[in-house]
Amino acid sequence: MHWIFIKLSGLGVESMAKRMVLTILLSMVAVYVIGMNIAYINDRKMQTVVEEDGRMIYHILVEGTSMMPTIADGDVLIADGTVEAIDSIYHGDIVSIIEPDVHTENRFLIKRVVGMAGDVIEIKYGKLYVNGFYKNYGGVYRYDYGPYTVEADSVFVLGDNNVNSLDSRRFRNPSVPMSEIVGKIMLEE
């Protein structure tokens, strides 16, 4: 049995206990209703927890600090790979994507969506602008970037710890196709 636990810094014991009980119950229901179908996808610690009609829910062990302080090295996350979840992705959501320049499904990145198709992304004076409007997702940016227009059916992603992040600013093609999104990360508010 694989237990799913989402660790977020700054939450109290009561909240963590509730979260743990909820994730244990969800895991038990998923195993009971759908059956245990765990497939090890790769050596990067991503596993399928539930698979039904090609719709997948993953749990992911985070390795790295590119999403600090939102997500820490060693956190375990749930990624919803259902069509509904991916179709509902919007600015500010955190997603798991296939690493673009590697062209293999064995490497994944966790990033925040800051731009959707047609958006103009620009970083100037250490601040992020989307379509000319300042957006604060908690990042401070060292270098200016853009302006860049996100391609159709794509997103633009950044790491929250963007000084230490492999993201759209460094990809050969900064636009990440929606087809390269593995799942939407589900975090408690």
Side-chain angles (χ1 to χ4, degrees):
M1 173 78 56
H2 291 273
W3 300 111
I4 301 166
F5 182 72
I6 301 171
K7 183 184 93 181
L8 296 175
S9 54
L11 294 178
V13 174
E14 179 183 340
S15 182
M16 288 192 310
K18 286 180 185 177
R19 185 171 59 250
M20 189 162 96
V21 168
L22 179 62
T23 55
I24 289 170
L25 288 174
L26 287 173
S27 294
M28 291 172 69
V29 168
V31 169
Y32 178 76
V33 173
I34 298 172
M36 188 61 118
N37 183 11
I38 296 179
Y40 289 94
I41 294 178
N42 61 37
D43 61 351
R44 300 282 283 198
K45 310 292 191 270
M46 178 182 269
Q47 297 173 326
T48 304
V49 175
V50 177
E51 181 176 1
E52 181 179 282
D53 299 326
R55 298 163 23 140
M56 298 184 198
I57 305 293
Y58 303 97
H59 72 145
I60 303 165
L61 174 62
V62 175
E63 296 177 348
T65 60
S66 71
M67 285 299 294
M68 291 283 289
T70 309
I71 299 170
D73 185 33
D75 282 357
V76 177
L77 307 173
I78 301 170
D80 185 345
T82 63
V83 172
E84 294 85 2
I86 291 174
D87 285 347
S88 72
I89 290 171
Y90 199 65
H91 298 92
D93 288 337
I94 299 174
V95 296
S96 175
I97 62 172
I98 297 170
E99 187 173 343
D101 297 331
V102 176
H103 302 293
T104 176
E105 294 189 16
N106 291 336
R107 299 202 37 165
F108 302 91
L109 301 173
I110 307 294
K111 302 295 170 198
R112 185 178 301 278
V113 173
V114 299
M116 305 294 293
D119 286 346
V120 177
I121 307 298
E122 188 170 13
I123 298 171
K124 55 185 176 181
Y125 309 113
K127 295 183 179 178
L128 172 67
Y129 294 88
V130 179
N131 299 323
F133 294 97
Y134 169 68
K135 297 290 181 180
N136 183 3
Y137 294 114
V140 176
Y141 307 91
R142 229 180 237 181
Y143 307 105
D144 288 353
Y145 178 88
Y148 175 79
T149 302
V150 183
E151 295 174 4
D153 299 316
S154 299
V155 295
F156 190 95
V157 297
L158 294 175
D160 287 359
N161 180 9
N162 45 70
V163 173
N164 183 30
S165 178
L166 175 62
D167 53 40
S168 285
R169 297 168 299 163
R170 294 180 176 89
F171 300 156
R172 274 182 248 156
N173 178 1
S175 293
V176 176
M178 294 295 288
S179 61
E180 299 293 305
I181 296 175
V182 175
K184 180 178 180 178
I185 302 299
M186 301 184 316
L187 297 175
E188 286 188 2
E189 296 295 320

